[in-house]
Amino acid sequence: QVQLVESGGGLVQAGGSLRLSCAASGSIFRIDAMHWYRRAPGKRRELVASITSVGSTNYAESVKGRFTISRESAKNTVYLQMNSLKPEDTAVYYCNIVGLTGSSWGQGTQVTVSS
């Protein structure tokens, strides 16, 4: 069983920054990719950023140039550095990992950006 715990969410003013962390533990045999998703009020779940086991990254168009995904492989931890936050970034952010054992999700962390 894989457990993912997100942290770092909160309330910030537009233009501010937050750093989300996601630490994975449990029966981790192999991680192929780590992702950050978000779901904003009234919108469907959106893939925000991804990083593969070899370090390749991808970002949603709406966050390019503002968000950075990174990892500490030895600690099975993925981060999302969010800069220049906008009210449109307000959402619940979820960590997701895909590996040999399947797909696992964190509980989500709320990010609220005030205008």
Side-chain angles (χ1 to χ4, degrees), residues 5-114:
V5 180
E6 299 107 329
S7 62
L11 174 64
V12 296
Q13 196 172 28
S17 298
L18 284 174
R19 189 193 191 208
L20 305 183
S21 299
C22 175
S25 61
S27 301
I28 304 172
F29 298 98
R30 190 184 76 196
I31 297 176
D32 295 316
M34 308 181 83
H35 313 276
W36 286 99
Y37 286 82
R38 69 184 181 188
R39 184 173 180 86
K43 298 183 179 180
R44 65 177 61 192
R45 188 178 62 192
E46 175 189 22
L47 177 60
V48 177
S50 302
I51 186 165
T52 70
S53 60
V54 296
S56 299
T57 59
N58 283 286
Y59 298 92
E61 188 68 27
S62 60
V63 307
K64 283 183 178 179
R66 299 189 297 120
F67 291 10
T68 303
I69 188 170
S70 60
R71 61 176 183 161
E72 289 188 47
S73 297
K75 301 182 70 174
N76 292 319
T77 300
V78 63
Y79 305 94
L80 186 67
Q81 178 67 46
M82 305 185 295
N83 298 326
S84 302
L85 283 162
K86 305 175 180 180
E88 305 94 279
D89 296 317
T90 295
V92 178
Y93 285 71
Y94 298 91
C95 177
N96 168 254
I97 63 170
V98 179
L100 195 61
T101 59
S103 180
S104 300
W105 293 86
Q107 80 286 350
T109 185
Q110 177 71 48
V111 172
T112 302
V113 184
S114 62

